[in-house]
Structure formats: structure tokens, C-alpha cells
Amino acid sequence: MLRPTRRPARSLAGTLVLIFSLALIWPAGSVAAAPTPTTGGRPDPAARGEREPAVGSQGVRPMESDTAGGPDRQLQRLGVDRANRGPADRAGRAPSDTTGVAAPPAVLAVDSGAPAADSFGGWFGIDQTTSGFEPPDPWVAVGPDDVVQTVNTRLRFSNREGATRADVDAFAFFDLANFESCLPPALPGCTPIEIEIDGVADPRWHYDSVHNRWVGMILSWHCDRNGALAGDDSLGFLNLAISLTGDPTGDYYQLFVQYDYLPDYPMLGISADKLTLSANEFLLNDTADCTSGEPFDAASTTTFDWNELLTFPAAPNFSYHFDFDHFSLRPAVAPQATSNTIFVVGEQLLPVDDPNAATTSNVVYYRLTGTNATGGVVQSPPQDLTSLGIIPPFVDPPAPLQPGGALPATIVDRRPTDAIWRDNVLTFVSTYPCDPSGGPTETRDCARVTQLNTAPAVPSRRQDVLIASSGRDVWYAGIGQSQSGILHVVYTQSSATEGMSAFDRYQLPSDPIYRLSAARRIVDGGAIAYNGDRWGDYVGVAQDPRDTNAVWQGNQYTKSGGIWGTRISQLQTAGTTYVAVPPVRLLDSRVGNGTTGAFAHGVPKSIDIAGRGGIPNDAVAITANLTIAGQTAAGYASLTQTPIANPSTSTLNFPLGDTRANNVTTPLSSIGGVSITYRGSPGRTAHFILDVTGYFLANDTGATYNALAGNPVRVLDSRFGTGLSGKFLPNQPRTFQVTGAAVPTGAVAITGNVTVVNQTRAGFVSLTPTPQANPTTSTINFPTGDVRANGVTVQLSPTGQLSAVYKASGGSTDLILDVTGYYLENLNGARFVPLTPGRRMDTRFAAPQEGLSGPFSANIARTLVIEPYQGVPANATAITGNLTVVGQQRAGYVSMTTTANNNPTTSTINFPLGDTRANGVTGPLSGPGSVALVYKASGGLTHLILDLTGYFR
């Protein structure tokens, strides 16, 4: 907990006009309409002369940069500070009730044999000198292009390479020098009055990828100073900020929850339809230092509906629950929001329990379901998982060691510090006493990671694992899970000779329980002793919304002079290697292969990939060809990892009545599948076909990628005798050599672009490693008279050849193949990193950061910066994605090259007038991390869209 010095009111240049008639508006019907508690034994507030919490709005505020920092401030030692909850204060009472079936003990982690994670994009963040406060309580949030770091009183907004976009004082961001509220808030139509905010603490930021919003939160409080404001008493607030767009430095809508208590140790919980705030409520007195020495009263959750928060009402409905016998509630964050339930874990205390005196506490668990708009949020009956014999209790750990002796006994305690949820598994962390050797010889601090299966009504234990190190203390862990399901645990480690350092270990979805990777030291605290008595209560670990194998962390360490510093980095397992296969059809909805029945508009359908057709269960991404057939309305399709009814990117665009295909390189979900959404018009349907040409593995058993230096190389053009001479005739496969020049001998697969031209009959072409007169898969489909291209990733024969067959009822065609790169079965090339599809460029709209805006003019090349946006780092060598042309004024083609070229020798996508068309691309990046694009036509303009699906490095 930290307190800023008082400062004069300050104005913000360019402040927007509030979107409400008052700066503060309370819910209709006043706070009396708030739902009554569903659990717990807290007396009626009216009987106690206290007010229920209320929600107020601060309207819309722009971001204000404050790189110079605010005035000097002093650390406020609060009576409800964690310093008053350490082992030294815990005596004289029996622990919480632990009767019931004894739970199995937690188990020491075993080395899985996996290497340590790579730590990329790391930069040093804020330190104690910059912040001026102890402790930092560091947190991190990550978006497609941005990283937000918070420590007490400070917010830093950076791009993914660490370049600061804004450095902001938290007090100023929430405009707390001009804070207003109604006293009491229940009076309808009251006139807000200025409230002096005496302190702020525990800022936290989160990026919600489902709603494309940033959420910020901070705790603040006001001390009454013996009735300085008539009718007032001391108050606590949770201030909430929600961005209006996906830009974290843009405008935010602000609101707050007002308490008669100090809402200490707050946390955010996120589901698909709800946002929950939790807090430990401590009584306040009416003095100038109203927080000193006051007792714990209750733990609470406050829940809002996402749909109301996104429409920026004056004061959204909310549901408020009191849990008198709970402490340190942690509502889980579900980054992908695949459930409408919020899962909560905390400490179970008896009604007479004092959390300051306890040394153990049982594990309590419950769910929040429903919404405020549909009858109210419902809290399930709490379940004491310790008494049920499922999970051992939280137990106070010993004081950790550092150079020069033990740290203060109050520096760490037993409470759960973080919780996440996905795929019916709730994961939470705490610090726990254990012997790293497994025996009774020494007791050290150990990071405890607990997982529950939440599908059954009574959850079951998945694992309860302890991370320990002989002779060292491992404590205050944070947890994060990548989209591909890799669980990372980031923790502080110290010893008698080792200053506080940051470490990471991870567990793959395929790993047995209780097995974790080798440890990665993220940053070394040296042999420096920390000279403070507070280290903080948690460390933020955030899922990367683009890089499917990555999380980001912002842990702290000891710096010269005995102060704290933070380090921000992306944690990622090694990139994937590639295994090419002869094309195999894993989806054809026309015949019930992969799914049954046609795809309906706006209804995503999932298809299992891993474990079928020779694709192994541990595949993490695929290359494939997606074909649309039988559509009853024009539209587009989007292929994603998980079901998304309204996707933000597209994979395949099509008119009515045109069977067409597009190459894809795409990640698989954590359970080995993909999802396809057809967007046409209500009531319309379509069929899809998916032919897989290879897969990626998160190990070293496959091949690595080599992008061709410079522009693509043409290895086949039957018009001019390159590779083969003469037209292709129907049903007669022809073989041509690929390796030997630009593509070396030994290449097992290539990436490139195949183009059909001069076809006299509609049909399709299939590329395969060996000749097939009647192939079971297709590479490119086309009508008569349409020059059409499609990207390819295709396996070569052992002799480095490819075969092509033209399937039609007659006629002939010419074929062109341009190669952009190749795979070799060694580890010397680049590894593939799959991304959740993200839009890097759409020239129809204003440019996001360094994107391109405005249409392309014919024959004038333009350069698009790729790195470091949408998850592509500065050391990427090539990208995969989807290039779409829309609104073209003349027929022609677009060529994507590494550098600007007004007259390229190869093409990437060909198109007639008036046809929105897409093509999958795999292409190299230039040295500065960019690509060039040129629209080749006899004149006119066109718009281009580029969605990224992965990169190589």
C-alpha cells in the first residue's frame, strides 16, 4: 500500500467532454436495488449504520503522459498492510477448522527433461529509483502490439520491443487530484463534491482479446480527518478504467466502486460475459491516518456485465457479494474467455477468525454465474476443498533467506496470489513451506501450483505441485498459460548467497503432472541484499494474444544499492519444426468427413486435426489448403484455433457459385483442432474442404525453414518452357524438377505460389510429390478465363521433384510456380512460431501505428513494416499470412517482395475486376523487418489487407 503526498488539482489538456450530464451518476433506483448477498454471515448493513457499495462514473478521459513523474511521495505504512499479516503477528489462536478427510499432500516437482524457455524481447522496466516506492507489486499486460507494465504509482506503456509510448503517474492517470463523489452516494440526484484521495496502491492492467479492450484498476482511499466533510466518513475505492479501443494509450472510460472500507489486495477476474473485482475489506477510522491498525471485516466480489461496460453507461448494474468467512479471494482470469463462469479461490476462515493470527487456512472455492442483466449474478455455495479432502490448506512459509541473513518475517505469507482458468482447469499459486530434498532436514519457501478440474460439481484435484530448490527459497510465484496450453510459473528465488532473482519453469500440455522444465533465470539479482522490508505480493504473467506459444512476465529482482528493479520479457518454448506429408483430406463437409452437414452463417464449427490422417497428437500447427464449395451466398470464411462467431480476420473470400481455395498456415488449438466460421448472410450455408500438407512439432524432430534471399524464384512457367514446355492436358500428371538451383538438393518441401493461366475449361490442379492421375486432394480450383493464384506449402519427392495434374473435362492450361523458401531436415534454418491471426494492414482504414493507409496506386511499390507488430519480433526472418485484394479498379496482380520493386518478375495474387480475393502467403522479410507490395495494372487504385498467422526465426 502506498500513499501519494497531497497535490494541488491539475488539469489535463484536451480532456474530453463527459458523456454524461453529471460527472457522477448513480444507478436508477439508488443502491438499494443492489442484489443482496447470497452467502456469508455479514449483518444487514442498515443495522450497522453502514452503506452498501455504490458505483460511480468518471466519464471518458484521454491518456496523459507524465514522463517526468509526479512529486516526491512517502511510503504509507498501513495497518492493513501485509506487514501486519506475517508470521510474527500470528499467534494465540487455533487455526481454521481442518476437520474432515485429510487431503493428499502437495508433491515436489520433477524435471521433465524439457529445456528452459527462451526469454525474448526482454528489457529492463521500472525500478525503485524511478518509482520512489517500495514494494513494486509488479504486473504486466500484453496486447497485439503493446505491453503495459504497472508498479505501485507508475504505469508504463511500451511496444513489444520495449520502446516507451507513455510513462504515466497512476494518480494522474485516474485524475485522483480532481476526484468527486456523492456523500452519501445513495441520495438520488445529489451534487458530487470533491474528495481528497490520500493514497493509491495495487494498480493492475489486463488486455481482453475477446473484446479488444484494456482494463485498468487501482485501489485508492480517503481519510475523513475527524469529520472534515459534513456527513462524511473515511472511504475506500476501486477505480476502474476500460479503454474505448484496442490502443492502450487512447481514451478510457472510468468508473469506480465506493466502499465504507478499505478494499485491500484487489484482483480482476474475467470471463466471456463478466468482469469481477475482489477485495479484502478492512475497517477504516475517521482520522488523518484512517487505515492504521484496523481489523479485517469481510472479503467481497463486485461483478459487472461486459456488455454494459462496453456501452459506457453512467453507472452499470453490478452484483455485490459479501463472504464474511473468506479471505484473499482470487477470481480467475480466463484470457480466451471460453466460459461465462468466473471461478474463485480463496482462504476459508471461521466467522471468528482473524487472518492476522492464523497460520493456516483451508482452500475455499466457488463459481459466479449469470449476469446482472438476466436476473443477477449467482454465487454458488462455497466449497471447503480442504475439509473435503481434495486440497491441503494454505500454510505460512518461513522467512526467506538473502545475503546477510533472513528477510523480514512479514515479507511473504500463505495467501493465493494469482488464479487463471482454461479448458475446465483452474490454476492458482501460493507460497508454501516444504523440504526441497523431500525429507525433514530443512524447511524452505516453495512455490505451490495447484490445479483443479472444474467440470464436476465438486472439483477434483489435477495436481498440487511444489517448485523447490535445495538451499534456496522459491516464493511469490505468478502463473500464465499460453494459448497452446503451456503453463509457465515465474517466481522469485533467493538464498544466503543469492540476491532475489527471477526464474521461470514451464509444463507442456503433453507433460505428465508434477513434471516441469528446467529453470530459466530471467534476471540475476547477484549477491545483493534487499534493504527494504516489503517485496510485494504477486508477479504478473500474461498470455500473449498473438504468439500462441508465449507468455510475458514482469518480475522483479535486486539491483545495486539494495533496491528493486523489474524486467519485462516474453517467455517462449523453442519454435517448431516442420514435417511435410502427402496431402491428406481431413475435412469435406459435403460427405461428412470431419464434420456433418453444411456450415451455417455465423456459426463456427470445430474440426479435429491432431490424431487423424497421420497427423500426430502433439502437432501444434499445420499447413493446408482450404476450399469453399456450394456456398449459397457470397462472403468469407475465417479459420481460427477456437470457435469465433465474429472473427476479426479472414482466410478465404468468395462470390456466389465459385469453388475456390486458399493456402493456410495456422496454429491448432490446445486440443489439436481448428474452427471455421462462414460469414455470408443469415440463413445461408456453405461447405468447406481442408487438405493438410504438413504439420509443425514443438521439438527438434522436423525440418527448419530457409527463406530465399531476395525475390521469389520462378521454377515453372509452361508458357515459356521454364521447368516444363507446353500446356497441361486433362488428367495427365507431369513431373518437374524443383531442387538444384535456388532450392538446394535435400530440401523436403517448399513454400511458394502456384498460378493457373490460359485455362480453357474449369477444373482444379493438384500438386503432389509423386505423379497422381486421380489425386484425392486439390491445390487450386478455377473457372474458365480467370488467371488465379494460390499459395502452397508442398512436400517434394526424394529426388526434389513435384508433379502437377490438371483435372477437367477437357481443354488445357498453363501453370506457373514461384518458390519463396524451402525446408531442410536440419536445425540450421528458422523455426516456425504460430500466431493467432492478426490484421497488420487494411488500407481502407487509418493506419494502426506504422501500417499503411490509403489505396495502392498502380505500379508504385510501398513498404510495410512488419516487426514488431501483431506478435512478430524484430528477429523474424519470414512471415505467413493472408493477403486480400479488395476494391480494385482494374484487373491485375499484386507482388509481395522483400524490397520495393515497381516491376517484379513474380506475382503473389492475380485478380479480375470486382472480385475480393485472398491468397495465403509465406515470404521472407527484409533486414529492417518489412515487406514491399506493388499493384500491377494498367492504372487505377486498389486496397490491400494483410493478416498474419505466424513467423519464422
Side-chain angles (χ1 to χ4, degrees):
M1 290 295 172
L2 306 170
R3 174 183 181 178
T5 55
R6 295 172 209 155
R7 61 170 71 184
R10 55 187 296 189
S11 63
L12 297 178
T15 298
L16 298 180
V17 176
L18 295 181
I19 60 174
F20 314 113
S21 59
L22 296 176
L24 184 61
I25 301 177
W26 301 107
S30 82
V31 296
T36 56
T38 58
T39 63
R42 187 172 186 173
D44 178 26
R48 297 176 53 182
E50 66 187 64
R51 296 190 294 268
E52 284 276 17
V55 175
S57 170
Q58 295 170 269
V60 178
R61 298 195 52 79
M63 169 72 72
E64 179 194 23
S65 180
D66 183 19
T67 55
D72 291 338
R73 302 178 182 186
Q74 61 183 0
L75 177 66
Q76 172 72 9
R77 297 295 179 191
L78 298 177
V80 296
D81 197 296
R82 260 68 73 192
N84 285 334
R85 299 183 207 132
D89 298 327
R90 295 168 178 163
R93 71 173 285 292
S96 300
D97 181 14
T98 57
T99 59
V101 181
V107 177
L108 286 170
V110 177
D111 193 337
S112 67
D118 293 321
S119 184
F120 291 108
W123 70 87
F124 292 97
I126 305 170
D127 64 20
Q128 189 170 336
T129 301
T130 303
S131 170
F133 289 94
E134 174 226 11
D137 286 337
W139 203 257
V140 68
V142 182
D145 298 321
D146 299 276
V147 177
V148 179
Q149 180 193 8
T150 68
V151 297
N152 274 316
T153 79
R154 204 89 203 145
L155 316 173
R156 181 168 291 173
F157 300 78
S158 308
N159 71 8
R160 294 169 70 105
E161 300 302 310
T164 299
R165 299 187 63 202
D167 195 351
V168 185
D169 177 82
F171 199 88
F173 176 90
F174 287 94
D175 196 30
L176 296 179
N178 301 300
F179 187 75
E180 292 183 336
S181 182
C182 289
L183 299 172
L187 292 177
C190 74
T191 301
I193 62 173
E194 184 171 327
I195 302 294
E196 182 173 12
I197 297 299
D198 293 290
V200 297
D202 294 343
R204 194 157 305 196
W205 240 250
H206 173 78
Y207 173 71
D208 188 85
S209 60
V210 174
H211 302 99
N212 191 31
R213 294 291 190 271
W214 296 81
V215 181
M217 179 186 69
I218 198 167
L219 156 66
S220 64
W221 66 91
H222 157 75
C223 295
D224 179 44
R225 296 176 184 80
N226 295 313
L229 295 174
D232 186 22
D233 57 7
S234 297
L235 300 170
F237 305 91
L238 288 182
N239 302 85
L240 193 65
I242 301 172
S243 69
L244 272 63
T245 69
D247 182 358
T249 65
D251 293 345
Y252 282 75
Y253 168 73
Q254 293 190 20
L255 64 155
F256 59 88
V257 183
Q258 178 174 311
Y259 302 77
D260 279 341
Y261 303 87
L262 185 79
D264 182 44
Y265 199 49
M267 175 62 85
L268 285 170
I270 304 281
S271 73
D273 62 355
K274 290 185 288 295
L275 183 150
T276 292
L277 311 179
S278 69
N280 289 329
E281 296 184 7
F282 285 80
L283 297 175
L284 293 167
N285 57 53
D286 293 337
T287 68
D289 186 12
C290 59
T291 62
S292 295
E294 294 302 314
F296 171 69
D297 184 77
S300 65
T301 60
T302 306
T303 301
F304 298 91
D305 294 354
W306 259 116
N307 63 343
E308 290 191 343
L309 294 176
L310 295 175
T311 55
F312 317 116
N317 292 316
F318 69 102
S319 177
Y320 194 87
H321 302 284
F322 295 103
D323 297 298
F324 189 78
D325 53 351
H326 299 162
F327 190 64
S328 300
L329 300 177
R330 303 286 87 177
V333 169
Q336 297 301 308
T338 55
S339 172
N340 288 333
T341 301
I342 288 183
F343 300 85
V344 184
V345 67
E347 297 183 67
Q348 172 73 55
L349 301 174
L350 295 175
V352 296
D353 279 353
D354 175 5
N356 294 338
T359 58
T360 69
S361 50
N362 289 5
V363 180
V364 66
Y365 160 88
Y366 59 87
R367 302 174 174 91
L368 300 176
T369 57
T371 64
N372 296 302
T374 57
V377 174
V378 177
Q379 176 179 299
S380 69
Q383 295 175 311
D384 185 336
L385 302 185
T386 302
S387 293
L388 291 171
I390 299 170
I391 299 294
F394 299 112
V395 179
D396 276 335
L401 296 181
Q402 69 166 346
L407 285 152
T410 57
I411 208 163
V412 65
D413 60 21
R414 67 185 182 272
R415 293 178 298 174
T417 56
D418 198 7
I420 56 177
W421 182 92
R422 67 169 287 158
D423 296 337
N424 286 319
V425 175
L426 174 65
T427 307
F428 55 96
V429 285
S430 58
T431 306
Y432 195 77
C434 80
D435 184 345
S437 68
T441 57
E442 64 172 335
T443 301
R444 309 299 299 228
D445 286 44
C446 303
R448 180 183 178 188
V449 183
T450 308
Q451 289 190 313
L452 298 172
N453 295 310
T454 60
V458 178
S460 61
R461 167 168 147 171
R462 183 178 184 272
Q463 65 177 343
D464 197 9
V465 60
L466 300 171
I467 300 176
S469 182
S470 182
R472 299 174 177 86
D473 290 293
V474 174
W475 44 294
Y476 271 158
I479 46 173
Q481 201 163 18
S482 72
Q483 294 180 61
S484 59
I486 303 169
L487 176 66
H488 284 263
V489 186
V490 176
Y491 52 88
T492 296
Q493 181 173 293
S494 65
S495 71
T497 58
E498 177 184 8
M500 271 89 94
S501 303
F503 282 80
D504 167 71
R505 294 181 73 177
Y506 65 87
Q507 186 178 68
L508 298 171
S510 57
D511 285 337
I513 59 175
Y514 302 112
R515 293 184 178 272
L516 286 87
S517 72
R520 159 75 64 184
R521 187 192 298 268
I522 299 169
V523 60
D524 192 346
I528 303 168
Y530 181 57
N531 59 23
D533 61 0
R534 292 285 312 285
W535 187 243
D537 297 308
Y538 38 74
V539 53
V541 184
Q543 182 182 100
D544 193 316
R546 285 290 173 253
D547 192 328
T548 62
N549 285 340
V551 299
W552 287 69
Q553 68 80 39
N555 205 1
Q556 64 206 81
Y557 65 102
T558 45
K559 293 185 66 174
S560 177
I563 64 173
W564 60 260
T566 59
R567 179 161 174 95
I568 309 298
S569 63
Q570 182 194 57
L571 299 172
Q572 185 192 76
T573 56
T576 63
T577 59
Y578 184 67
V579 179
V581 298
V584 56
R585 183 154 291 179
L586 295 183
L587 169 68
D588 188 341
S589 60
R590 300 172 301 178
V591 296
N593 177 10
T595 190
T596 302
F599 286 68
H601 163 77
V603 181
K605 297 177 75 171
S606 295
I607 301 96
D608 293 331
I609 300 295
R612 297 176 57 221
I615 311 303
N617 288 322
D618 56 349
V620 297
I622 56 169
T623 58
N625 201 54
L626 179 67
T627 304
I628 178 82
Q631 64 270 35
T632 58
Y636 69 91
S638 183
L639 191 151
T640 54
Q641 295 165 268
T642 55
I644 302 175
N646 293 289
S648 59
T649 59
S650 60
T651 305
L652 179 63
N653 296 74
F654 42 82
L656 180 64
D658 184 356
T659 299
R660 63 173 56 177
N662 197 15
N663 169 60
V664 296
T665 303
T666 184
L668 300 178
S669 69
S670 59
I671 57 174
V674 296
S675 183
I676 298 173
T677 303
Y678 163 56
R679 300 291 301 180
S681 57
R684 302 301 184 177
T685 62
H687 286 286
F688 289 100
I689 302 159
L690 187 68
D691 298 327
V692 176
T693 61
Y695 58 88
F696 294 91
L697 296 170
N699 57 41
D700 295 340
T701 60
T704 56
Y705 184 68
N706 299 266
L708 288 182
N711 295 325
V713 173
R714 184 153 288 180
V715 298
L716 173 68
D717 190 339
S718 62
R719 299 172 301 175
F720 307 114
T722 302
L724 290 170
S725 296
K727 294 181 178 294
F728 282 71
L729 300 177
N731 311 314
Q732 298 179 25
R734 302 173 70 189
T735 299
F736 56 95
Q737 192 69 33
V738 175
T739 62
V743 180
T745 301
V748 296
I750 60 159
T751 61
N753 201 60
V754 62
T755 305
V756 63
V757 61
N758 299 326
Q759 67 273 31
T760 59
R761 295 286 181 88
F764 68 90
V765 164
S766 182
L767 289 178
T768 54
T770 56
Q772 295 186 36
N774 295 292
T776 58
T777 60
S778 59
T779 303
I780 184 169
N781 298 71
F782 44 83
T784 303
D786 182 1
V787 177
R788 184 166 292 189
N790 193 19
V792 295
T793 301
V794 60
Q795 184 184 39
L796 299 177
S797 73
T799 57
Q801 296 179 315
L802 275 177
S803 292
V805 62
Y806 167 47
K807 297 296 293 182
S809 60
S812 63
T813 191
D814 282 301
L815 282 183
I816 303 167
L817 179 63
D818 299 322
V819 175
T820 59
Y822 56 88
Y823 288 93
L824 286 173
E825 287 188 326
N826 60 41
L827 301 179
N828 299 326
R831 297 168 182 261
F832 179 66
V833 179
L835 297 175
T836 296
R839 184 149 289 178
R840 178 65 195 101
M841 176 184 70
D842 188 339
T843 60
R844 298 172 299 176
F845 305 104
Q849 297 178 18
E850 291 185 36
L852 299 177
S853 184
F856 278 68
S857 299
N859 308 310
I860 300 175
R862 300 169 69 184
T863 298
L864 171 68
V865 174
I866 300 294
E867 302 167 345
Y869 301 112
Q870 291 295 330
V872 180
N875 60 350
T877 59
I879 57 167
T880 63
N882 199 56
L883 179 65
T884 305
V885 60
V886 59
Q888 62 271 34
Q889 296 176 348
R890 302 282 178 88
Y893 66 90
V894 166
S895 182
M896 189 177 84
T897 55
T898 53
T899 56
N901 186 346
N902 289 339
N903 295 290
T905 58
T906 60
S907 60
T908 303
I909 184 170
N910 299 72
F911 43 84
L913 182 64
D915 183 358
T916 299
R917 185 167 292 186
N919 193 19
V921 294
T922 301
L925 297 174
S926 68
S930 60
V931 297
L933 298 133
V934 63
Y935 166 45
K936 295 298 294 180
S938 60
L941 306 171
T942 192
H943 285 288
L944 293 178
I945 302 167
L946 180 63
D947 297 326
L948 302 177
T949 63
Y951 65 90
F952 295 89
R953 69 174 172 194

